[in-house]
Amino acid sequence: MKKVVLITGASAGIGKATALDLIRAGHLVYGAARRVPNMDDIRDAGGHALPLDARRPADLERAVEAVIAEQGRIDVLINNAGTVLHGAAEDIPLDLARDQFEVNVFAPARLTQLVLPHMREQGSGTIVNVSSIGGEIALPLGCWYYATKHALEAYSDSLRMEVEPFGIDVVIIQPGIIRTGFEDHTARDLREISGTTAYARMAEAMAVRAESQLGENTPASDPGVVAAAIRQAVEAGKPETRYAVGYMADKLLELNRTLPDREFDELLTSAT
């Protein structure tokens, strides 16, 4: 059945791949992002492009209002927009940490508040929150990103139980290592934030590793594998609550669930 979909962060990476995949599957897709010209291919494919800065509550409201005004309903909300920052917990200014939460947690939460009245009225809907394997595990020098994804997953679990009586599903997507431009600034951030602090040695080692894995050198999955999992959730009569997809996703999550904490810590720090 053709569904009306609103997806954030649709100008690149997982968001764009998902928007195009859902359009090809016959759904009516509204992509939303700051870089509107980067969504021309979504328009060309038959979708719609909306300007949206996840940090601006008015943008979130306008996006939902635009879809409702044109279609009268929203069947699927895909909260995909996100941001990442690397550096030691001691070094990262808290205003930057708050910004991570604003984009990765509070924007999805506000969009969810805006679409839920419409979904409850129609007696159906699906909210897809794009998390990460970092919603269950955490690596060094990325504490605030992992904190936001842990928060998003807890929020989603609670939300799922609240809205299930209204016929609304909540799905968590946990991508593993995916080939996108999402972490292109990792090395720069590490050096700027922690390159001259007590954590400089660790930061430089991770920065060098990040640089060596840019582009095609990364052992990673194509964003299309995540798009396929999201489409599966969108089209399922009763979707799974979690979809772990992409390179190393299942393996790392299983190790985290079975190894003692210190053994898992040693495994991760030896790899970074």
Side-chain angles (χ1 to χ4, degrees), residues 128-261:
V128 179
N129 289 329
V130 179
S131 178
S132 163
I133 55 172
E136 289 191 37
I137 69 172
L139 278 69
L141 303 178
C143 64
W144 290 111
Y145 173 75
Y146 298 115
T148 64
K149 292 305 184 181
H150 277 65
L152 183 65
E153 295 212 12
Y155 167 83
S156 301
D157 285 335
S158 184
L159 178 69
R160 182 180 64 250
M161 292 180 277
E162 293 173 4
V163 301
E164 190 274 338
F166 302 105
I168 301 167
D169 292 305
V170 178
V171 175
I172 297 167
I173 304 294
Q174 297 176 305
I177 303 172
I178 308 298
R179 187 177 295 110
T180 71
F182 188 60
E183 297 204 40
D184 284 356
H185 301 300
T186 295
R188 183 197 67 191
D189 291 345
L190 286 165
R191 290 180 176 128
E192 288 183 356
I193 293 172
S194 295
T196 59
T197 72
Y199 306 92
R201 181 177 297 181
M202 183 185 295
E204 181 59 25
M206 184 177 286
V208 170
R209 182 179 179 85
E211 288 174 331
S212 72
Q213 294 183 340
L214 286 175
E216 296 302 317
N217 295 323
T218 305
S221 296
D222 185 86
V225 302
V226 186
I230 293 174
R231 176 162 55 85
Q232 181 182 349
V234 167
E235 296 179 342
K238 195 64 178 175
E240 300 293 331
T241 58
R242 277 174 171 78
Y243 293 78
V245 293
Y247 182 68
M248 294 295 289
D250 285 328
K251 184 175 292 186
L252 283 173
L253 289 173
E254 181 61 26
L255 287 171
N256 180 59
R257 293 163 184 166
T258 56
L259 288 178
D261 286 346

Side-chain angles (χ1 to χ4, degrees), residues 19-202:
L20 293 172
D21 190 47
L22 289 172
I23 291 169
R24 287 191 293 267
H27 300 290
L28 184 56
V29 176
Y30 285 77
R34 288 182 298 164
R35 297 172 293 177
V36 176
N38 288 10
M39 296 186 286
D40 284 349
D41 48 355
I42 292 175
R43 283 199 190 102
D44 294 341
H48 303 263
L50 299 173
L52 183 142
D53 185 335
R55 297 171 175 85
R56 297 179 177 175
D59 281 13
L60 307 180
E61 294 170 9
R62 278 193 293 267
V64 173
E65 288 169 0
V67 179
I68 294 298
E70 293 181 14
Q71 306 301 330
R73 63 187 294 121
I74 292 181
D75 299 302
V76 181
L77 169 64
I78 303 173
N79 286 308
N80 168 73
T83 184
V84 63
L85 181 67
H86 287 90
E90 185 177 346
D91 300 331
I92 294 177
L94 289 185
D95 61 330
L96 297 181
R98 291 187 184 96
D99 182 71
Q100 292 261 283
F101 271 89
E102 192 65 44
V103 176
N104 295 357
V105 181
F106 295 122
R110 181 55 183 150
L111 280 171
T112 298
Q113 289 180 329
L114 291 168
V115 304
L116 277 177
H118 303 286
M119 290 182 173
R120 283 191 292 101
E121 183 177 358
Q122 66 201 33
S124 64
T126 303
I127 296 168
V128 179
N129 289 329
V130 179
S131 178
S132 163
I133 55 172
E136 289 191 37
I137 69 172
L139 278 69
L141 303 178
C143 64
W144 290 111
Y145 173 75
Y146 298 115
T148 64
K149 292 305 184 181
H150 277 65
L152 183 65
E153 295 212 12
Y155 167 83
S156 301
D157 285 335
S158 184
L159 178 69
R160 182 180 64 250
M161 292 180 277
E162 293 173 4
V163 301
E164 190 274 338
F166 302 105
I168 301 167
D169 292 305
V170 178
V171 175
I172 297 167
I173 304 294
Q174 297 176 305
I177 303 172
I178 308 298
R179 187 177 295 110
T180 71
F182 188 60
E183 297 204 40
D184 284 356
H185 301 300
T186 295
R188 183 197 67 191
D189 291 345
L190 286 165
R191 290 180 176 128
E192 288 183 356
I193 293 172
S194 295
T196 59
T197 72
Y199 306 92
R201 181 177 297 181
M202 183 185 295

